[in-house]
Amino acid sequence: RQSDEYLREMAAYFAALELPYPALLAQDIPPERLARGEALVMHGDEAIGVPACQACHGERLTGISPDLPGIIGLPPDYIAAQFGNWRESSRRTMPPDCMSLIAHRLSLADITAVSAWLAAQPMPTDTRPDAELVQPLPMPCGSVRSTGVTP
């Protein structure tokens, strides 16, 4: 068994690494599907009660440390699978489970559009997650504990 101090030192070392991201994957997605994905990521869809991904995962979509993960630079199949996991309740978080609500409000076509658009975007120069939220979350989310936002 390693000491907590040693484990924190190892975690800090690996967290500080800036590894290269793989090249973007070529995708055969119609432009209108990509446009829908971009609209959902950047603006959301008020009619179906889905906030912009950017509103929670940060302007650069690299996440908010430590509670909100980055969503840019991930393969489209991985992103779509996570939405599927929330829809099927095999992935969940503390209530209120905001991502489960969002996943159920999105159509399968919307999930494909968001996944494809996110995967087609180049990584920002600074890939580190933001240290804090700059605005309140658009909906209560039980997984957010350390950002000062009360679910």
Side-chain angles (χ1 to χ4, degrees), residues 49-118:
V50 171
C53 302
Q54 203 176 43
C56 300
H57 294 275
E59 185 177 334
R60 293 173 292 118
L61 303 167
T62 56
I64 311 292
S65 185
D67 295 320
L68 298 164
I71 55 174
I72 194 157
L74 298 171
D77 292 341
Y78 175 81
I79 297 168
Q82 297 315 305
F83 276 113
N85 290 335
W86 273 298
R87 288 170 72 102
E88 298 300 321
S89 298
S90 60
R91 180 172 185 170
R92 51 190 167 272
T93 188
M94 297 179 341
D97 191 343
C98 55
M99 280 307 301
S100 177
L101 292 172
I102 291 168
H104 282 91
R105 292 174 182 170
L106 292 171
S107 68
L108 294 179
D110 283 345
I111 289 170
T112 300
V114 166
S115 301
W117 189 84
L118 283 169

